[in-house]
Amino acid sequence: MGSKTILITGANGEIGHGLISHFAEYDGVKVIALDLNPLDETTRAKCHRMYTGDILDSRFIESLSTGYDFDTIYHLAALLSTRAERQPTIAHKVNVDGTLNLLEMAITQSRLQGKEVKVIYPSSIAVYGLPDLSVKHKAQKIKEDEWTEPRTMYGINKLYCERLGRYYTNFYRQLDAEPMGGRVDFRCVRFPGLISAVTLPTGGTSDFAPEMIHHAASGETYNCFVREDTRIPFMAMPDGVGALLMLEAASKEKLTTQIYNVGSFSPSAGELKAHVKGAFPSASINFNPDLKRQAILDTWPEDVDDSRARGDWGWKPAYDFERAFAEYLVPAVTKLYRSK
Ligand code: SER
């Protein structure tokens, strides 16, 4: 991988942990981790340096920039969709103003270093908004430019930040005598719900899948907040981390867009339950829909068309539904709760 300096914001989140563990395997890679909350000792030991701080503090972000020459910024810090509905103005600040601060820092860095700085950004299926269930069923796998009519603060924030990223790459200060477009190389994947075997998400609307699996493994009853027929796409966390790494590594000439869907498997909540019960036969899982969170999920697509990612940079998930359960989720969650 060569020598590289990488900034990870939201390092203490689920994707952050996965990325940090990945980079720890490469000698030449210096990870600078940033989060509001300190990392646990084991994860911290895998980083070159950890900073506890706020992406909204632009002075702090600028000062970070004076200490390092970043090659790539993985900007993961965000408030997820359920939490964002409860605190919309805070969500807008963190998700949008925070991203703006990072893009400004990236462009300053690229100017100082005289080279492009990559910004890798996880967007979401929340950018889509299907008007009703019958359209959702008919639409099935949707493409990047279809149904981008989000109904949540989080989805709106993500869609807007994708556009900000494109602006910083292509049109930044386009009226200047010497325009600076092309100095930030913004690349983005729209993630489905991610399922980790080692951490639980906080504040997402796709959380029912990881919660169901973790409750089953820990022997707790789970009251699932969606209907059994709810279907949205999901992905095993190692594939989520892999997608970001693959997109970062892709050569720029191959990219025909900056925004890519990535898909993996798309079970209904009832099918998830059947799989969880197959692995943990004594699991107690009930469906007790929260109609408001359900309404959000009913606007998210059943599945995504990820043919652009497959064609441009060779995206292919390692885990389908069966393999994700058999080879990743079940063994790892079982181990996790056995050791607790
Ligand atoms: N997992 C996210 C959420 O539920 C969607 O990308 O908010």
Side-chain angles (χ1 to χ4, degrees), residues 146-159:
E146 293 174 330
W147 299 110
T148 46
E149 296 291 340
R151 294 199 188 175
T152 60
M153 178 53 98
Y154 174 74
I156 292 166
N157 295 164
K158 287 284 178 189
L159 187 61

Side-chain angles (χ1 to χ4, degrees), residues 273-325:
K273 175 179 170 177
H275 263 65
V276 173
K277 294 276 288 178
F280 303 99
S282 60
S284 159
I285 300 164
N286 311 308
F287 289 94
N288 186 7
D290 168 337
L291 298 183
K292 292 182 175 158
R293 290 177 97 186
Q294 179 73 57
I296 291 176
L297 290 157
D298 288 345
T299 70
W300 291 357
E302 287 200 351
D303 207 350
V304 289
D305 179 333
D306 60 3
S307 47
R308 275 191 197 165
R310 287 175 188 260
D312 287 4
W313 43 277
W315 162 247
K316 192 171 181 290
Y319 294 100
D320 60 15
F321 191 35
E322 301 300 329
R323 225 186 130 208
F325 265 77

Side-chain angles (χ1 to χ4, degrees), residues 80-81 124 154 191 193 204-207 300:
L80 294 181
S81 56
S124 161
Y154 174 74
F191 276 132
T205 314
S206 60
D207 295 4
W300 291 357

Side-chain angles (χ1 to χ4, degrees), residues 47-92:
C47 302
H48 177 73
R49 186 78 202 267
M50 174 193 76
Y51 289 89
T52 309
D54 190 344
I55 55 167
L56 291 176
D57 182 348
S58 46
R59 281 219 193 128
F60 164 64
I61 297 294
E62 274 165 34
S63 75
L64 246 192
S65 178
T66 57
Y68 301 97
D69 286 344
F70 295 119
D71 297 283
T72 303
I73 297 168
Y74 285 86
H75 174 39
L76 313 177
L79 256 59
L80 294 181
S81 56
T82 290
R83 173 125 185 250
E85 278 323 290
R86 298 195 170 128
Q87 296 178 295
T89 51
I90 295 179
H92 191 278

